[in-house]
Amino acid sequence: MLATVLLSLSCLISAANTQITDLRVQNAREPLAIEDKHPVFSWKMQSDERGACQESYRIRVYRDSDSSIVWDSKEVKYGRSDNISYAGVALQPDMSYSWELTVKDNKGDIHTERSRFETGLMNPRISAWKGAKWIGGPELKLDATSQSVFGIRSEFRILK
């Protein structure tokens, strides 16, 4: 009886020590200006339990402006968790997105994490920056400290 209780507690503890971490889009955590309409996702599964591994994943990407789902990978039976290609409708420029990752481990336990990212202008032309203003003061201020530029003036004489 005591062994059964201890085994049950052990299973609860090991399940609690499995977590999904380091969610990334285009190899960055919560990037603010990705330029790819079909980015890649990655994450890590960490567990104190020996032999724990990912059996499947599901990714859902939501447009933050209206909470609509722009991609649902459905459950994918796959053990890898890096360079998972986005396969939804092309992402739009200058938008904020959230994504939800659900991982099922080899014990059948479900782990869910969320993250976010934003797209950039997605336009390589300089005209995309029309109307943009630089952040900062109106004056150009050059000094050695802020520019990491130092000038040294010296006079010397070579003796024979």
Side-chain angles (χ1 to χ4, degrees):
M1 171 89 175
L2 180 60
T4 304
V5 171
L6 288 176
L7 183 59
S8 296
L9 285 175
S10 171
C11 289
L12 288 174
I13 291 169
S14 67
N17 289 330
T18 298
Q19 51 186 259
I20 306 305
T21 63
D22 202 21
L23 277 71
R24 293 176 178 254
V25 179
Q26 293 296 95
N27 299 311
R29 291 186 193 137
E30 298 189 359
L32 295 178
I34 65 167
E35 296 293 323
D36 196 331
K37 294 178 181 183
H38 293 90
V40 294
F41 296 86
S42 62
W43 60 90
K44 295 177 184 170
M45 185 178 112
Q46 297 179 333
S47 180
D48 292 342
E49 183 180 344
R50 184 175 296 208
C53 62
Q54 172 182 305
E55 289 284 318
S56 66
Y57 70 85
R58 181 179 186 178
I59 299 173
R60 282 179 248 176
V61 178
Y62 302 88
R63 187 173 36 241
D64 286 347
S65 62
D66 61 4
S67 299
S68 63
I69 296 177
V70 295
W71 180 50
D72 185 345
S73 71
K74 307 293 184 197
E75 183 178 13
V76 178
K77 293 188 184 296
Y78 193 54
R80 288 190 50 194
S81 59
D82 62 329
N83 291 321
I84 305 300
S85 295
Y86 172 86
V89 297
L91 298 175
Q92 298 301 305
D94 197 25
M95 294 286 276
S96 180
Y97 295 90
S98 297
W99 63 292
E100 178 181 83
L101 170 68
T102 302
V103 170
K104 184 190 287 185
D105 66 22
N106 56 336
K107 290 178 64 181
D109 293 329
I110 304 293
H111 311 278
T112 302
E113 288 297 326
R114 291 169 185 79
S115 189
R116 60 181 312 283
F117 64 94
E118 294 180 20
T119 53
L121 295 177
M122 295 183 169
N123 184 343
R125 295 188 186 99
I126 196 71
S127 61
W129 292 93
K130 185 177 182 182
K133 295 184 179 178
W134 292 106
I135 299 172
E139 296 176 13
L140 178 62
K141 183 178 178 183
L142 294 177
D143 62 72
T145 306
S146 66
Q147 298 299 315
S148 298
V149 175
F150 299 92
I152 299 174
R153 177 174 280 166
S154 175
E155 292 182 23
F156 61 92
R157 196 173 72 179
I158 300 175
L159 300 174
K160 292 185 184 185

